Amino acid sequence: MEIIEQKYFDSFKSFVNSHEFFFIAGHKEPDGDCIASCLGIAAILDKFDKPYQLLSAGPFKRNEVNAFESKFSQKMKFQDINERKTTGLIITDCSEISRLGEIDGDFKDLDTYIIDHHKTSELSDISKGYINPSSPSCAYLVQLFYENLIGEVPQETAKILFFGICTDTGFFRFLSSTDEASDLMNACSRLIKYGADPKVTYNQINNGKPYSTRKLLGILLSKTELYFNGRLAVTYESLEDTRKFGLEGRDTDSLYQLLLSAKGVEAAVFLRQDTPTTCTGGFRSQDKIDVSVVASKFGGGGHKNASGMSCNGQVEKLLPLVIKEFAKIMN
């Protein structure tokens, strides 16, 4: 529990004790780290005997998070004015209300606490919380909060937190020899001691993909173009691609892994046309390229080596703009 100062544990405990009800929310299109962080916070509130509602705008497109969808709602429980005064909002794995997506309800004026690890995140003047961009996973931070405030993590919560850590670290592929990585591995050893199973977790994340996602991977690979002497790989998914092969989910993690494993490729771009007027994008890189710089230009954010964005537009018009921004940081 080395990376978080005691004052942050104390501030979160005070925040929990000063409210009677909580909304817990993470970013839209949740990944395993987001889901695990929300459920880890819920486990803490359970120990404090505090009622809460888990919120997510979804969609739960990733195969590994489908099983958790029933635990979340897209509609906030109605509260009158007096109830809202004693309600707290806890946001995990992001720091901006806008990144929560389309949730039916009003977050305005709710007392807010944020736990996040994204490089492009920062606390607003009206928010409390803890943000550590050097942390490899938000679920790891939640684990530290649990252990400090409660103690030993129960088996089911340990499994969920380990799952979240593994998804955001690529099952530890993205770690380097830093103090943060060493501390994280120590924390994971505790989760395994509590009952998390690495083999089961690996299969949970990587197996059971719909066959259509294998077909979609082939389509996306066939569309890939290389830029800057083969250093940047770029591909995209059209509405027609989604209709044919993407309705059951997608496997972008495998796509990024395949693209970045090609000789000379230092960064990868994947844009998807979600609707006729909106797109989402994912950026991944090797050690040197900071893709969060590009994501921030399009209203997104994330980590140095893994970021995303969502904006209005069409793929064919956005791609040249994205490539132009990459030119600025890859020259």
Side-chain angles (χ1 to χ4, degrees):
M1 290 177 273
E2 299 88 348
I3 71 171
I4 304 179
E5 297 177 58
Q6 184 62 41
K7 65 180 180 179
Y8 293 107
F9 297 127
D10 295 340
S11 71
F12 184 67
K13 183 177 181 180
S14 176
F15 183 84
V16 171
N17 284 328
S18 61
H19 298 84
E20 298 301 319
F21 185 85
F22 296 86
F23 293 113
I24 306 171
H27 58 77
K28 61 185 178 181
E29 291 197 33
D31 57 8
D33 191 34
C34 177
I35 294 297
S37 300
C38 289
L39 294 176
I41 292 296
I44 293 175
L45 295 181
D46 284 334
K47 291 296 184 180
F48 279 84
D49 292 322
K50 296 286 186 174
Y52 55 84
Q53 183 185 23
L54 288 158
L55 299 171
S56 177
F60 288 70
K61 293 181 179 179
R62 298 169 182 262
N63 184 67
E64 65 270 21
V65 302
N66 287 342
F68 300 105
E69 183 172 6
S70 62
K71 296 180 180 293
F72 292 80
S73 174
Q74 291 184 332
K75 184 175 182 180
M76 295 172 67
K77 176 183 177 182
F78 174 78
Q79 294 183 316
D80 61 31
I81 295 176
N82 290 328
E83 288 173 323
R84 288 178 64 86
K85 291 178 180 178
T86 61
T87 293
L89 169 63
I90 302 175
I91 300 175
T92 66
D93 205 32
C94 73
S95 63
E96 306 89 357
I97 295 290
S98 60
R99 289 204 65 211
L100 301 184
E102 298 297 322
I103 293 176
D104 186 358
D106 184 8
F107 292 113
K108 185 179 180 181
D109 298 328
L110 287 177
D111 197 14
T112 302
Y113 199 99
I114 293 167
I115 299 177
D116 192 18
H117 72 127
H118 289 95
K119 181 180 178 182
T120 52
S121 296
E122 59 183 27
L123 294 174
S124 69
D125 294 336
I126 60 173
S127 298
K128 308 173 182 69
Y130 178 75
I131 298 176
N132 187 336
S134 68
S135 173
S137 164
C138 189
Y140 166 46
L141 300 178
V142 173
Q143 175 189 348
L144 299 186
F145 274 92
Y146 192 105
E147 289 175 320
N148 182 275
L149 298 176
I150 311 298
E152 183 172 317
V153 180
Q155 183 178 29
E156 289 307 310
T157 302
K159 291 178 180 178
I160 290 169
L161 292 174
F162 187 71
F163 164 77
I165 291 170
C166 289
T167 57
D168 235 35
T169 63
F171 223 91
F172 312 113
R173 296 195 318 274
F174 306 143
L175 297 182
S176 56
S177 56
T178 63
D179 290 340
E180 290 80 15
S182 176
D183 291 340
L184 177 96
M185 296 305 288
N186 287 331
C188 286
S189 72
R190 296 196 298 273
L191 292 178
I192 293 170
K193 180 180 178 181
Y194 299 146
D197 188 322
K199 180 179 179 180
V200 170
T201 303
Y202 182 87
N203 290 334
Q204 180 183 4
I205 295 171
N206 293 287
N207 294 347
K209 311 285 188 185
Y211 182 71
S212 60
T213 64
R214 311 297 91 186
K215 298 282 285 186
L216 183 58
L217 273 176
I219 296 294
L220 300 180
L221 289 172
S222 70
K223 291 183 176 183
T224 302
E225 298 289 343
L226 298 178
Y227 296 84
F228 314 130
N229 296 318
R231 298 168 60 210
L232 178 68
V234 178
T235 190
Y236 65 93
E237 180 179 327
S238 68
L239 288 173
E240 182 64 12
D241 296 332
T242 303
R243 185 187 68 79
K244 286 184 176 181
F245 303 113
L247 295 179
E248 291 186 83
R250 53 184 49 83
D251 189 9
T252 49
D253 290 337
S254 292
L255 174 66
Y256 296 131
Q257 187 176 355
L258 287 167
L259 294 177
L260 291 174
S261 67
K263 184 178 180 180
V265 174
E266 298 176 18
V269 171
F270 169 55
L271 291 188
R272 181 176 71 242
Q273 191 76 51
D274 287 324
T275 73
T277 58
T278 61
C279 287
T280 55
F283 311 137
R284 299 293 187 273
S285 71
Q286 309 283 13
D287 292 336
K288 296 180 181 179
I289 308 300
D290 187 350
V291 295
S292 69
V293 174
V294 177
S296 65
K297 298 290 185 179
F298 298 90
H303 311 289
K304 176 183 177 181
N305 301 125
S307 292
M309 46 78 76
S310 180
C311 66
N312 294 325
Q314 288 78 41
V315 164
E316 60 269 21
K317 294 181 179 179
L318 280 173
L319 274 178
L321 300 178
V322 170
I323 294 168
K324 183 177 180 180
E325 293 299 327
F326 268 95
K328 298 176 182 179
I329 64 174
M330 297 186 75
N331 288 335

